[in-house]
């Protein structure tokens, strides 16, 4: 893990907040982003924060450009925040406190059946708060990544995938998580934080909606 030191030999992180987005961002996201940046700098004034966004419709390209900028800026971490997410103001500090290469929040999909975006090592959806849970893959809507992860990987860092067995496609986030696991690192889910993260659309979806799907399946309704 990359840890920068200040003149006193204390940890001094340099974090890029990276936002891949379209032409517009959700208003609630903008509100939460401003609170996160302000709170993080108030509590950790020694920490350097950079805010970058890339507009475009092709996520692998946007994410790759943001990673390259973070590496060029000698950042220690990238905090990925998708522009349709809601999150508490202390999200960055909580994720940093784990001191893990990759740690993310779980969140609900925006279309029925409402399912978590994080799946465990048995490829089953992760529904509940269980502290730190290892995931096979998860969404990158709220994810902190140590930049050494990218330094240790060969390109491409992101790509779209296709699973012939189920005749379906997977996103760049699934591809990235698989690459992380190939390096020997773990993708971890912060359960308590996940309960405070929402996915915005015409309706705001949270983890309680995923459990409604599970209950319906369990009781056959």
């Amino acid at each position: 893990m990359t840890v920068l030191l200040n003149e006193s030999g204390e940890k001094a992180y340099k974090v890029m907040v990276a936002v891949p987005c379209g032409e517009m961002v959700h208003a609630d996201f903008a509100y939460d982003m401003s609170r996160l940046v302000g709170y993080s700098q108030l509590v950790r004034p020694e920490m350097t924060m950079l805010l970058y966004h890339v507009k475009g419709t092709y996520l692998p390209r946007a994410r790759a450009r943001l990673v390259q900028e973070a590496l060029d800026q000698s950042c220690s971490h990238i905090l990925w925040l998708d522009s349709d997410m809601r999150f508490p103001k202390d999200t960055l500090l909580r994720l940093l406190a784990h001191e893990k290469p990759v740690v993310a929040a779980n969140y609900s999909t925006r279309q029925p059946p409402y399912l978590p975006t994080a799946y465990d090592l048995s490829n089953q959806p992760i529904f509940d708060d269980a502290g730190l849970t290892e995931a096979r893959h998860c969404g990158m809507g709220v994810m902190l990544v140590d930049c050494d992860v990218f330094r240790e990987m060969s390109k491409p860092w992101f790509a779209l995938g296709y699973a012939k067995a189920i005749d379906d496609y997977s996103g760049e986030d699934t591809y990235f998580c698989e690459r992380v696991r190939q390096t020997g690192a773990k993708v971890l889910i912060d359960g308590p934080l996940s309960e405070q993260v929402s996915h915005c659309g015409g309706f705001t979806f949270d983890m309680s909606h995923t459990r409604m799907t599970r209950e319906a399946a369990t009781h056959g309704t």
Side-chain angles (χ1 to χ4, degrees), residues 60-219:
R61 179 182 295 121
R63 291 196 190 279
R65 286 180 56 189
L66 288 163
V67 171
Q68 191 59 60
E69 184 63 35
L71 297 181
D72 291 345
Q73 295 280 350
S74 298
C75 290
S76 63
H77 294 77
I78 298 178
L79 175 63
W80 295 104
L81 294 175
D82 285 356
S83 61
D84 57 358
M85 301 302 301
R86 299 214 64 185
F87 39 86
K89 64 184 181 181
D90 59 351
T91 293
L92 172 58
L93 301 186
R94 289 165 69 175
L95 293 176
L96 277 174
H98 293 302
E99 297 189 346
K100 301 295 184 181
V102 181
V103 60
N106 196 5
Y107 52 94
S108 174
T109 58
R110 297 190 303 178
Q111 297 176 342
Y114 304 119
L115 292 169
T117 57
Y119 284 69
D120 64 20
L121 298 182
S122 299
N123 213 29
Q124 297 300 310
I126 299 172
F127 284 95
D128 297 311
D129 162 18
L132 278 183
T133 302
E134 185 175 359
R136 181 187 180 101
H137 57 81
C138 65
M140 294 181 67
V142 179
M143 175 186 280
L144 183 72
V145 182
D146 188 307
C147 284
D148 280 349
V149 169
F150 296 105
R151 295 185 180 99
E152 294 170 5
M153 280 186 191
S154 59
K155 292 183 179 182
W157 298 309
F158 307 100
L160 301 180
Y162 171 70
K164 186 176 182 179
I166 59 174
D167 189 26
D168 201 4
Y169 294 87
S170 60
E172 85 293 342
D173 41 15
T174 297
Y175 178 89
F176 171 69
C177 290
E178 292 291 346
R179 292 292 312 280
V180 169
R181 294 176 62 244
Q182 289 171 11
T183 69
K186 295 180 179 180
V187 177
L188 298 174
I189 298 298
D190 183 323
L193 177 62
S194 300
E195 296 299 317
Q196 297 178 269
V197 167
S198 303
H199 202 180
C200 300
F203 183 80
T204 299
F205 303 93
D206 58 37
M207 286 299 294
S208 66
H209 296 94
T210 72
R211 287 189 278 273
M212 290 169 57
T213 300
R214 180 177 60 180
E215 290 300 315
T218 300
H219 298 292

Side-chain angles (χ1 to χ4, degrees), residues 21-38:
C21 61
E23 291 294 323
M24 305 289 289
V25 301
H26 201 285
D28 288 334
F29 165 82
Y31 174 75
D32 287 349
M33 168 71 85
S34 64
R35 295 179 74 238
L36 179 143
V37 172

